[in-house]
Amino acid sequence: MTLEEIRGQENAMDNADRVQSAGAALEELLISAKKQDYLTVGVYESAKVMNVDPDSVAFCVLATDEEYECDIALQIHFTLIQAFCFDNDINVVRVNDIARLADLVGADGTGEPKDAHCILVTSPSANPWKDPALDKLSHFCEESRSAYDWVPTITLPER
């Protein structure tokens, strides 16, 4: 085995650990933000918040799975949301387990699962909310961008 192969394996293991750690941090952040009522769930609801008060958005999660990969309208919304987030220095991640995300953010008033395709973590501009999980995710996104992964994909931990 060559030195390059060994380093490649080490980097792959380090990357897997980073993604797993980011998944745990995302779960922690979503639970904490939900308790504080700092979550906006749904594509259209998120677009409204971004339009009215973009400075309140601290983090963005885009979620899809195989069922929705071919949904052109959803992909267009994702592209527009990503562009908005890039223009406003908002970190964005993707999650490929929409059912797990929907479980984390809960149901709406009627008991139906919420549209978890887009989730914003907001923070009031007057009194910014600090959370260690948000800091971890921001650092993860920074590292990913330095490796030219502009919208990293995070895997949520199994329950």
Side-chain angles (χ1 to χ4, degrees), residues 18-151:
R18 268 182 2 98
V19 170
Q20 200 167 32
S21 174
L26 178 60
E27 182 176 18
E28 189 179 312
L29 175 67
L30 292 175
I31 291 169
S32 179
K34 183 180 175 186
K35 287 178 186 173
Q36 298 286 331
D37 198 29
Y38 289 163
L39 283 184
T40 301
V41 181
V43 174
Y44 297 109
E45 293 81 358
S46 296
K48 284 187 243 175
V49 168
M50 289 177 168
N51 188 39
V52 173
D53 190 11
D55 293 334
S56 72
V57 180
F59 198 77
C60 179
V61 179
L62 299 175
T64 190
D65 55 18
E66 293 169 5
E67 181 181 346
Y68 294 100
E69 279 183 4
C70 295
D71 185 338
I72 300 300
L74 184 62
Q75 297 307 319
I76 290 170
H77 286 297
F78 280 2
T79 302
L80 294 171
I81 290 169
Q82 286 173 14
F84 181 88
C85 289
F86 292 150
D87 286 347
N88 290 280
D89 296 322
I90 300 167
N91 289 315
V92 184
V93 295
R94 277 195 182 247
V95 175
N96 289 329
D97 190 351
I98 195 163
R100 178 86 168 85
L101 257 181
D103 286 344
L104 284 172
V105 298
D108 63 14
T110 64
E112 289 292 314
K114 291 184 179 179
D115 167 25
H117 287 106
C118 182
I119 300 172
L120 298 181
V121 176
T122 57
S123 175
S125 300
N127 186 16
W129 179 56
K130 295 292 179 189
D131 187 85
L134 182 59
D135 292 338
K136 284 181 192 175
L137 287 167
S138 295
H139 184 69
F140 172 78
C141 288
E142 233 176 82
E143 287 178 347
S144 296
R145 281 192 300 272
S146 70
Y148 301 106
D149 185 4
W150 302 108
V151 182

